[in-house]
Amino acid sequence: MTKYKPLKEKEAIEYVKGIEGLFDDDAELSCNEIGDGNLNLVFHITDQNSGMGVVIKQALDHVRIADDWPLTKERVKFEYTAMKIQDELTDGMVPKVYKYDDEMALIVMEDLSSMKVMRKGLISGIKYPHFAEQISTFLSKTLFYTSDLYMAPKEKKERVKNFINPELCDITEVLVFTDPYFDAESNNINPELRPYLEKEFWRKSELRKEVTVLKEKFMTRAQALIHGDLHTGSIFIDQKTLKVFDTEFAFYGPSGFDIGAVIGNLILNYASWSGKEVSTEFKADYREYLLDTIEDIWNKFEEKFRKFWDQEAHETTKAVKGYQDYYLKQLLQDSIGMGGCKTMRRCIGMAHVEDLDGIENLSERARAQIFALKLGEIMVTRRKRLATITDFIKIVRDLTAWEDTTNM
Amino acid sequence: MTKYKPLKEKEAIEYVKGIEGLFDDDAELSCNEIGDGNLNLVFHITDQNSGMGVVIKQALDHVRIADDWPLTKERVKFEYTAMKIQDELTDGMVPKVYKYDDEMALIVMEDLSSMKVMRKGLISGIKYPHFAEQISTFLSKTLFYTSDLYMAPKEKKERVKNFINPELCDITEVLVFTDPYFDAESNNINPELRPYLEKEFWRKSELRKEVTVLKEKFMTRAQALIHGDLHTGSIFIDQKTLKVFDTEFAFYGPSGFDIGAVIGNLILNYASWSGKEVSTEFKADYREYLLDTIEDIWNKFEEKFRKFWDQEAHETTKAVKGYQDYYLKQLLQDSIGMGGCKTMRRCIGMAHVEDLDGIENLSERARAQIFALKLGEIMVTRRKRLATITDFIKIVRDLTAWEDTTNM
């Protein structure tokens, strides 16, 4: 029996050589470890002859998120199992898996390094005209076909059981839904932002209450098999293709959490331009692109989701007049609310995003962070008044106009 | 290894004799099988010398709820595991368990035949002055201490996993939340009621939609370890003591489902007097007692739940201003809505209650059923407007006054 041990680069090469049919016999393999080194090892292995490459993602065992916060390697099982389901449902919108090794806590998968991590593209101001079409397909297929709307109740419950993922959920519960809303140890705070947090943000009791309502939803609502961490850093993209990766947070949770993650991260990028030296024209144009994208994502998502429902929901569900409209309105409100939480945590919580932290001047960064926090706040507190995505776009525009005039 | 087989009465005696310390050596045991014979065997075993008795509840394997609807014996495991938790949390408000035998799918437990099944007491017009106090203790303790408000997130999720109970949930999903709302095969319909169903009830699309919203909540919301079938036929009661039994439907579901089951079954009894030959005074007085009881149950439940919360919820939850009020208002609305579904299914669905089916004259029975259906309907459709239990009591009174004048 193989026993778990973290691979070294040479061992990684030997490991993939042992996978039948993966590389040619005369392959000349080179290997680089390119992970962040904290939670996972990521080996990029290339055949110098053919140019073909693979990636090994191996979980480090008993790592620590913080001093008293350990994490086991079991998370790889959730990642692999969810990827398989997503792959089947979306016809390959996730990296191909060549091998999964439970014992070694690793996945050997397709090398997508020719594509860009979407967050970096957005930071560079690149537009992705097919993104809304692509991500709405991913979202609608995974969120419909893993839900009770489509699945047989017993199979769905069996799957809920297999995806009870306490360690990774715990990270989200604490870092997204709890700690950012008070002066918690785990927070990572720009000193220029702190006065705003102390004088205003942490005193918003209605906001904190509503975030807690969303937290309970996250903790209790087994609606669909969600990716669980679908920010723009979990998406590879080029002008043709989109692949979703880093799926270890997968579990049965509220569908709005995935849609919200996408929208929230577009909103973070939207806010980030407040702290950057770019022309007014560029900023206005790129922000319009981001808002159009958000509107398109929801509208295309809704259209596809309704189509799947009309064609493939259980007959007893289809027969219920008005339920589809109700469900989608709830989902819109959930998505915007969850997106608001995802937006705010990236300004205050432990894990930030480069969209904002790439702004080196701390005052400028704080300005963009405050704008992001205000956007996140209205996403949470006004979500129940939203009937359409256009309502949401309008409140973003209003807040932007207000920010432009006051310059915060 | 013992292999599963359904016991006969003599074997049941041998079985309990084998449990060390249960009966005296010179016990003279007699045994009666008193189950309904469809899903479970229930043996009542008594020592003729000491008078001491026990009950064996054994699940029949591969029984059928309907032709194409089989049920395995695994349900006993859920019953036993939930009973153990309820016992610890409520300091013995469930029957004592002497032995659990997984292989034989049976539980040997305390004989409570000296107490009355509460439904029978209510049908006889008996008042139970301590019931609200008792059941509110059971509900508040089980629903608070098994929820995320109190439990550590990982332990709670582990428990959710262990209580994934698809077979028994399926029964509720179909028989409570689906079939009664259209002309389904499984329904069991009083011919005198059918015209009302066809001309009115089954055309209520708003009602059916709202029931489906509650159904999704039942299917997805892992809020607390609920009993899952807490009607007045699952409660033994006398003037001093209350014991909750028949816990095989236990799973992590919406807390309001248990509270609603209790309230809904009191409402069923309330409605049943419309079809019975009793004096106006008796009817008015007993109905007042039932409404007072419902009001007390909620108010005492709320008081206890808030106390547990203030004393023992997670610090980060306690710190959230306004969340407790929000949570309890939601729970009230959920409870009334779920109670409405429980009320309606007993008039139309497969499994009825003696409160109504004890009315032999079918027209009289239909009158009481229609009243129950109207009560159930407003419980579902008006639940979101309720701020207090008194609001609910008021709409019951209003509908009763209207029924009295029109005589339906």
Side-chain angles (χ1 to χ4, degrees), chain A residues 69-70 77 148 153-154 156-158 160-162 164-167 169-170 173 178-179 182 205-206 208-210 212-213 215-217 219-223 315-317 319-323 326-327 330 383-384, chain B residues 69-70 77 148 153-154 156-158 160-162 164-167 169-170 173 178-179 182 205-206 208-210 212-213 215-217 219-223 315-317 319-323 326-327 330 383-384:
Chain A
W69 196 347
K77 188 189 70 196
D148 282 308
K154 288 180 196 181
K156 187 258 187 172
K157 289 184 182 72
E158 195 53 41
V160 171
K161 190 171 172 176
N162 294 334
I164 298 278
N165 188 355
E167 287 194 351
C169 283
D170 188 41
E173 289 158 19
T178 309
D179 284 3
F182 69 102
S205 60
E206 178 67 13
R208 190 169 176 190
K209 188 200 81 188
E210 288 299 328
T212 310
V213 170
K215 177 182 177 180
E216 204 227 357
K217 208 164 240 188
M219 294 181 84
T220 62
R221 191 137 203 142
Q223 206 169 20
E315 289 306 321
T316 47
T317 308
V320 182
K321 279 194 200 119
Y323 182 53
Y326 169 90
Y327 190 101
Q330 288 298 311
R383 70 188 191 283
K384 287 184 189 162
Chain B
W69 196 347
K77 188 189 68 195
D148 282 308
K154 288 179 196 182
K156 186 257 188 173
K157 288 183 182 72
E158 195 54 41
V160 171
K161 191 171 170 176
N162 294 335
I164 298 278
N165 189 355
E167 286 193 350
C169 283
D170 188 41
E173 289 158 19
T178 309
D179 284 4
F182 68 101
S205 60
E206 179 66 13
R208 190 169 176 190
K209 189 201 80 187
E210 288 299 327
T212 310
V213 170
K215 178 183 177 181
E216 204 228 357
K217 208 163 241 189
M219 294 181 83
T220 63
R221 191 137 202 142
Q223 206 168 19
E315 289 306 322
T316 47
T317 307
V320 182
K321 279 194 200 120
Y323 182 53
Y326 169 90
Y327 191 100
Q330 288 298 310
R383 70 188 190 283
K384 287 183 190 164

Side-chain angles (χ1 to χ4, degrees), chain A residues 146-208:
Chain A
T146 64
S147 77
D148 282 308
L149 296 168
Y150 174 76
M151 287 187 78
K154 288 180 196 181
E155 286 160 28
K156 187 258 187 172
K157 289 184 182 72
E158 195 53 41
R159 208 180 252 177
V160 171
K161 190 171 172 176
N162 294 334
F163 277 99
I164 298 278
N165 188 355
E167 287 194 351
L168 283 282
C169 283
D170 188 41
I171 296 176
T172 306
E173 289 158 19
V174 174
L175 298 187
V176 177
F177 291 109
T178 309
D179 284 3
Y181 308 96
F182 69 102
D183 194 2
E185 186 104 8
S186 80
N187 289 331
N188 170 5
I189 295 167
N190 171 3
E192 295 290 322
L193 177 64
R194 182 168 274 280
Y196 172 73
L197 299 179
E198 290 180 352
K199 285 188 206 129
E200 297 195 37
F201 188 81
W202 284 332
R203 299 183 181 193
K204 293 173 187 284
S205 60
E206 178 67 13
L207 173 64
R208 190 169 176 190

Side-chain angles (χ1 to χ4, degrees), chain A residues 243-382:
Chain A
K243 301 272 179 181
V244 168
F245 65 104
D246 272 358
T247 312
E248 63 262 51
F249 283 78
F251 78 111
Y252 260 81
S255 301
F257 192 74
D258 272 3
I259 305 172
V262 173
I263 294 176
N265 277 274
L266 295 176
I267 288 292
L268 277 165
N269 185 269
Y270 182 95
S272 72
W273 299 102
S274 289
K276 293 188 179 178
E277 285 177 23
V278 291
S279 72
T280 317
E281 292 70 31
F282 171 83
K283 186 163 98 172
D285 175 72
Y286 199 69
R287 281 184 164 172
E288 274 310 297
Y289 156 72
L290 291 170
L291 293 188
D292 287 349
T293 301
I294 292 171
E295 198 162 5
D296 279 0
I297 290 169
W298 176 265
N299 287 332
K300 286 171 192 288
F301 167 82
E302 178 171 339
E303 188 188 329
K304 291 169 193 179
F305 199 88
R306 284 186 191 271
K307 198 184 86 187
F308 301 148
W309 184 313
D310 292 341
Q311 291 173 350
E312 305 196 67
H314 296 295
E315 289 306 321
T316 47
T317 308
K318 277 200 251 183
V320 182
K321 279 194 200 119
Y323 182 53
Q324 191 186 81
D325 290 343
Y326 169 90
Y327 190 101
L328 278 154
K329 189 173 161 192
Q330 288 298 311
L331 187 47
L332 172 68
Q333 295 175 353
D334 271 9
S335 300
I336 300 300
M338 296 290 184
C341 299
K342 300 283 269 181
T343 303
M344 293 183 285
R345 62 82 63 115
R346 296 295 190 182
C347 305
I348 302 172
M350 181 190 280
H352 286 214
V353 288
E354 204 192 318
D355 312 58
L356 289 166
D357 280 20
I359 304 168
E360 292 197 358
N361 180 303
L362 294 187
S363 307
E364 295 298 312
R365 190 191 298 173
R367 178 161 61 218
Q369 285 173 324
I370 290 171
F371 186 39
L373 287 172
K374 286 185 186 289
L375 286 164
E377 179 186 345
I378 56 172
M379 290 169 80
V380 169
T381 56
R382 297 209 204 152

Side-chain angles (χ1 to χ4, degrees), chain B residues 52-95:
Chain B
M52 186 230 171
V54 300
V55 162
I56 301 180
K57 179 173 175 182
Q58 182 178 34
L60 289 165
D61 201 11
H62 300 297
V63 288
R64 287 177 187 284
I65 295 165
D67 273 356
D68 53 352
W69 196 347
L71 199 60
T72 68
K73 62 181 166 53
E74 313 309 325
R75 61 194 183 278
V76 180
K77 188 189 68 195
F78 295 106
E79 177 160 7
Y80 168 67
T81 324
M83 280 177 85
K84 236 179 25 177
I85 294 168
Q86 291 165 347
D87 184 47
E88 280 165 27
L89 291 177
T90 65
D91 211 6
M93 296 185 80
V94 299

Side-chain angles (χ1 to χ4, degrees), chain B residues 28-42:
Chain B
E28 252 184 83
L29 301 181
S30 70
C31 176
N32 283 308
E33 204 286 304
I34 54 171
D36 61 4
N38 289 323
L39 299 180
N40 302 300
L41 297 171
V42 181

Side-chain angles (χ1 to χ4, degrees), chain A residues 57-184:
Chain A
K57 179 173 175 181
Q58 183 178 33
L60 289 165
D61 201 11
H62 300 297
V63 288
R64 287 178 187 283
I65 295 165
D67 273 356
D68 53 351
W69 196 347
L71 198 62
T72 68
K73 62 182 165 53
E74 313 308 325
R75 61 195 184 277
V76 180
K77 188 189 70 196
F78 296 106
E79 177 160 7
Y80 168 68
T81 324
M83 280 177 84
K84 237 179 27 177
I85 293 168
Q86 291 165 346
D87 184 47
E88 279 165 26
L89 291 177
T90 65
D91 212 5
M93 295 185 81
V94 300
K96 275 196 208 77
V97 171
Y98 301 119
K99 176 162 178 153
Y100 164 62
D101 187 330
D102 183 54
E103 189 88 35
M104 288 287 282
L106 66 78
I107 303 172
V108 183
M109 64 183 110
E110 190 177 5
D111 169 24
L112 296 167
S113 56
S114 65
M115 298 170 79
K116 205 169 189 130
V117 171
M118 188 176 177
R119 184 180 306 287
K120 295 200 182 288
L122 295 178
I123 291 170
S124 316
I126 297 173
K127 295 181 182 177
Y128 296 101
H130 306 301
F131 175 65
E133 188 65 48
Q134 292 161 329
I135 200 72
S136 63
T137 295
F138 181 86
L139 289 167
S140 57
K141 288 189 170 174
T142 56
L143 300 178
F144 178 81
Y145 288 107
T146 64
S147 77
D148 282 308
L149 296 168
Y150 174 76
M151 287 187 78
K154 288 180 196 181
E155 286 160 28
K156 187 258 187 172
K157 289 184 182 72
E158 195 53 41
R159 208 180 252 177
V160 171
K161 190 171 172 176
N162 294 334
F163 277 99
I164 298 278
N165 188 355
E167 287 194 351
L168 283 282
C169 283
D170 188 41
I171 296 176
T172 306
E173 289 158 19
V174 174
L175 298 187
V176 177
F177 291 109
T178 309
D179 284 3
Y181 308 96
F182 69 102
D183 194 2

